[in-house]
């Protein structure tokens, strides 16, 4: 290289800390190697004085010492990794918030999240779990992109596992799921609070906790308000835009002044149908959705009032449950509240 590229005498260079050992730290701090090990690994029950701890921490910072992660894993029995195995949430925009919540919570407690998105491929799922076990993860979150019952892969029983947005009855595994009934009650209460008494419910035809839970919430909100439940106001529909559109005529003919839709896609189809009937939202018909799919709800005209599925909190709560950070919880799945997201369709 040319003379202009030569490093200047005395120029600062990054310190190479790869060769720094625990013995070097002990020498610099004036303590034993065992003391350094206890301080660096934060061994419980060790009787190390505050002055010795301070000297070790100062020596670690000065020398740039980094503990051997593999050795630390072997001594503790697990690494600082938490695994997350998912079927499709990484490719589902709103459910991807589960990863975001889990990642933030893991980082907050000194862990790194390892994510494997399997797209429902059983072989890929088995391989991902095996690799995580080889890395001695602290535990695994097993998540699905919608709330339903699953069959637990056998390999998950080899480590601490928390099910997120799914559950396995009789498995004994802890689960963190949305409170579907509370969400249905919240959606219906928003319509009742706006003065509506004849409220239709367009429910999914797909059997699921969302189907039964949201209907139960709808019924309990009506009962609490002194409004009789009318089965003629519950309309089955496919949980897509087409289902909402197809249900429009029956909803209008029922004399309802407001409608609670199973999800935001159903509400989007209902919007189209109501316009074709010459009805205005919310003047002629108030509409409430569920899920809070932002790419839909926030961009309809008028913007859709809805109830949010708490994906971010599901991920965060899953990590807390895995690490045993939450207070004692009752038996059964842990229910996470679904908050209302008021906009302009009610």
């Amino acid at each position: 290289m040319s003379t202009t590229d030569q490093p200047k005498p005395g120029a600062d260079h990054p310190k190479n800390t790869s060769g720094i050992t625990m013995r070097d730290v002990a020498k610099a701090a004036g303590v034993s190697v065992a003391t350094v090990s206890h301080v660096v690994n934060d061994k419980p029950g060790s009787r190390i004085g505050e002055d010795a701890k301070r000297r070790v921490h100062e020596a670690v910072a000065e020398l740039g010492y980094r503990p051997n992660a593999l050795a630390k894993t072997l001594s503790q029995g697990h690494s600082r990794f938490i695994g997350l195995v998912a079927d499709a949430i990484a490719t589902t925009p709103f459910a991807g918030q589960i990863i975001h919540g889990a990642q933030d919570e893991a980082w907050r407690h000194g862990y790194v999240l390892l994510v494997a998105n399997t797209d429902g491929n059983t072989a890929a799922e088995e391989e991902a779990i095996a690799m995580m076990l080889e890395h001695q993860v602290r535990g695994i979150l097993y998540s699905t992109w919608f709330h339903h019952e699953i069959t637990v892969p056998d390999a998950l029983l080899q480590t601490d596992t928390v099910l997120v947005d799914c559950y396995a009855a009789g498995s004994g595994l802890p689960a963190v799921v949305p409170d579907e009934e509370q969400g249905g009650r919240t959606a219906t209460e928003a319509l009742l609070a706006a003065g509506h008494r004849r409220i239709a419910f367009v429910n999914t035809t797909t059997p699921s906790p969302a189907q039964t839970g949201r209907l139960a919430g709808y019924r309990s909100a009506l009962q609490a308000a002194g409004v009789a439940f009318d089965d003629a106001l519950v309309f089955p529909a496919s949980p897509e835009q087409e289902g909402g559109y197809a249900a429009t005529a029956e909803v209008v003919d029922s004399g309802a002044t407001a409608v609670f839709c199973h999800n935001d896609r159903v509400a989007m189809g209902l919007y189209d149908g109501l316009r074709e009937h010459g009805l205005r939202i919310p003047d002629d018909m108030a509409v409430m959705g569920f899920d809070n799919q932002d790419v839909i709800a926030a961009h309809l005209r008028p913007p859709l009032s809805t109830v949010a599925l708490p994906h971010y909190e599901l991920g965060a709560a899953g990590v807390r449950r895995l690490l045993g950070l939450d207070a004692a919880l009752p038996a059964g799945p842990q229910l996470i509240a679904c908050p209302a997201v008021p906009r302009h369709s009610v």
Side-chain angles (χ1 to χ4, degrees):
M1 61 183 175
S2 68
T3 55
T4 57
D5 295 324
Q6 297 287 349
K8 296 178 182 179
D12 290 335
H13 298 285
K15 185 188 293 183
N16 183 357
T17 63
S18 60
I20 302 298
T21 66
M22 198 174 287
R23 191 177 300 276
D24 297 324
V25 175
K27 183 178 179 180
V31 298
S32 67
V33 172
T35 296
V36 174
S37 176
H38 284 306
V39 173
V40 169
N41 292 311
D42 196 20
K43 292 281 182 67
S46 59
R47 298 178 179 178
I48 310 297
E50 292 303 317
D51 183 61
K53 286 183 182 179
R54 177 186 57 77
R55 296 202 309 275
V56 169
H57 287 308
E58 288 177 352
V60 166
E62 174 64 25
L63 297 174
Y65 171 71
R66 293 181 65 84
N68 184 299
L70 177 59
K72 194 168 183 179
T73 294
L74 292 173
S75 69
Q76 294 182 341
H78 61 79
S79 68
R80 302 300 290 182
F81 293 123
I82 290 173
L84 189 153
V85 177
D87 57 358
I89 63 173
T91 53
T92 307
F94 70 111
Q97 284 294 311
I98 289 176
I99 295 176
H100 191 184
Q103 184 171 269
D104 286 352
E105 193 69 20
W107 188 252
R108 191 172 293 121
H109 299 289
Y111 288 86
V112 174
L113 195 69
L114 299 179
V115 180
N117 192 71
T118 65
D119 286 323
N121 184 310
T122 302
E125 180 178 276
E126 291 175 353
E127 183 67 18
I129 294 172
M131 291 181 68
M132 288 178 180
L133 293 175
E134 288 173 4
H135 281 80
Q136 293 185 285
V137 292
R138 172 62 182 80
I140 294 176
L141 305 182
Y142 184 86
S143 183
T144 57
W145 76 272
F146 72 99
H147 181 191
H148 65 288
E149 185 170 9
I150 63 159
T151 299
V152 179
D154 291 339
L156 287 179
L157 303 178
Q158 299 178 43
T159 188
D160 292 340
T161 298
V162 175
L163 306 179
V164 178
D165 207 17
C166 56
Y167 66 100
S171 69
L173 290 180
V176 180
V177 299
D179 191 340
E180 305 283 5
E181 182 172 347
Q182 169 271 314
R185 186 166 56 250
T186 295
T188 310
E189 286 172 346
L191 296 170
L192 289 165
H196 298 281
R197 290 297 178 268
R198 192 159 179 80
I199 301 171
F201 178 35
V202 181
N203 199 7
T204 179
T205 53
T206 304
S208 64
Q211 181 196 52
T212 55
R214 295 174 195 180
L215 175 60
Y218 165 77
R219 295 187 67 152
S220 69
L222 293 176
Q223 182 178 18
V227 177
F229 170 75
D230 184 352
D231 191 58
L233 288 175
V234 179
F235 302 97
S238 65
E240 308 290 342
Q241 182 177 358
E242 292 77 9
Y245 179 81
T248 305
E250 289 182 296
V251 170
V252 172
D253 290 345
S254 73
T257 62
V259 56
F260 165 32
C261 297
H262 172 78
N263 63 29
D264 295 344
R265 287 169 292 163
V266 169
M268 180 165 60
L270 195 79
Y271 264 51
D272 292 338
L274 291 174
R275 286 196 184 93
E276 288 185 5
H277 280 75
L279 299 177
R280 298 165 300 164
I281 303 169
D283 304 53
D284 302 315
M285 182 78 72
V287 181
M288 191 79 183
F290 203 110
D291 288 355
N292 194 35
Q293 294 191 39
D294 194 57
V295 293
I296 296 175
H299 299 288
L300 289 174
R301 293 292 177 267
L304 177 66
S305 297
T306 187
V307 169
L309 281 171
H311 289 109
Y312 182 94
E313 183 56 26
L314 285 171
V319 169
R320 292 194 300 272
R321 188 76 180 264
L322 184 69
L323 297 178
L325 299 175
D326 282 338
L329 296 165
Q334 178 182 351
L335 302 179
I336 304 299
C338 302
V341 184
R343 292 193 178 95
H344 303 296
S345 63
V346 175

